[in-house]
Amino acid sequence: MTENNKKVATIFYGCQMSERDAETLTAISTHKGYTVTKDLEDADLIIVNTCCVRESAENKIIGKIGQLKKIKEKKPSLKIAVSGCMVQQPGIMERLKKRASHVDIWTGTFDLENFENLLDSALQGEKAILISEKAAKTSEVVPLAEKGKLRVSQNIMYGCDNYCAYCIVPYVRGRERSRPLNDIVNEIKELVASGSKEVTLLGQNVNSYGKQDGFSYDFADLLAEIDKVQGLRRIRFMTSHPKDLSNKLITTVAQSQNICEQFHLPFQAGSNRVLEAMNRKYTREYYMERVDNILREIPHARLSTDIIVGFPGETEEDFEQTLDLVSKVHFAQAFTFMFSKRSGTAAADLPEQIPLEVKKHRLQRLIELQNSRSLSWRQKMIGNSYEILVEGTSKTDQKLLTGRTRGNEVAVFEGNEDLVGKLVKIKIISANSWTLYGEFEGIS
Ligand code: SAH
Ligand code: SF4
């Protein structure tokens, strides 16, 4: 059954995997005849792909689902689907169902491929609920990423087996499972043939790619194969768990053509005591040694990280070790979070939970330090030329074009709209903590 003239609007919360799943659900809807709109009021189907990694995300989502009720009151034919990590938590359905009687479809992280059937049931007026407890043997769900999109992301693996003490991901995304190399490479070839120039490979811990499935090749081998794809200009990947970051991977990046010199390497905490309590399986010394190895082979590598403050039992001295690490490793960017208690995880039951005021104060100190580090990272780039993949015009000023360096820094410059989709060289003339400002030098 196709849905002529009907429109779908999709909202996602959380990480790039959530964004990728949201794209898949949108693609399934467009295959059924829906066209995409950004305007919720104009939509006949609204998909909300959720996140539950921190309580703040959940609160936002619950608020959003509440707002959708008003839209549905005005347009009773509207169908609303809620999907993703938040739906996957045990007990959450009971909590949400009461507040969200206007939702038509509920579906978890393991059921993307059944979305079309769920949508059919909802269109026939039924409540459609499918929340499997684990992945089916073939965890493949492919409509590909949107054809012709300049920058695409691809899952190379699903789930996580690491069980960091604070983290809910292994509970809502299941055991780690990797996709075969040929499937990934063939998909990327198709995407490149349709016009894509950049791919980001996604996994919770890309460095353990293939291990649980007993593949004869590893992540570095996969990257080396993707590097050979003709016409692909940029390859990124995330996230790298420091414990599994091999020298082979660093050398592969160093010797490649198209793999961007960029490592997102979350350290989470600077104190060994806290790292152990977090079950991260490395020490600060090991982390610093990995960073040294990266910088020895790739001196211009761009490092970014994730940091949690206020893990249960974190003392002022522990926190200072986090600040110390940030002042020793020059991160271009850090995603900083206050510890959020997630029911079902090991850290939720630990004694010595840190008061909110203390967490807020630590976060603020950390952000101040990192902002000055981010600024000095970008200021170092002033006067040099960089290759930019031009993504479009700036939202705030139509005369400006925006794009990214190989290191993933956002850059803006004045230029003609025909440059969109092209690789160009720009010279950096100024910078703030988030953005580079440059002058067009020529096509790259
Ligand atoms: N697989 C990735 C991270 C996925 S979650 C990795 O291991 O690096 C993204 C980030 O959210 C984590 O790196 C962590 O910094 C943060 N995070 C996860 N659970 C959290 C919690 N309970 N409270 C606060 N931050 C959390
Ligand atoms: Fe969560 Fe740790 Fe897995 Fe990352 S590696 S998803 S932080 S459990």
Side-chain angles (χ1 to χ4, degrees), residues 53 159-171 176 203-205 239 241 243 266 268 278-280 306 308:
V53 83
C160 181
D161 280 358
N162 286 306
Y163 292 94
C164 300
Y166 48 81
C167 185
I168 197 148
V169 169
Y171 303 91
E176 187 175 295
Q204 295 298 349
N205 175 12
T239 295
H241 195 304
K243 77 178 166 67
Q268 312 296 1
M278 285 179 163
N279 192 30
R280 288 290 288 181
D306 292 350
I308 298 176

Side-chain angles (χ1 to χ4, degrees), residues 15 52-55 160 162 164 166-169 203-205 239-242 264-266 268 280 306-309 335-342 345:
C15 66
C52 60
V53 83
R54 282 170 292 276
E55 196 182 357
C160 181
N162 286 306
C164 300
Y166 48 81
C167 185
I168 197 148
V169 169
Q204 295 298 349
N205 175 12
T239 295
S240 286
H241 195 304
H264 183 62
L265 198 58
Q268 312 296 1
R280 288 290 288 181
D306 292 350
I307 308 168
I308 298 176
V309 301
F335 298 90
T336 52
F337 309 106
M338 283 191 283
F339 169 74
S340 170
K341 204 168 162 175
R342 303 287 62 208
T345 64

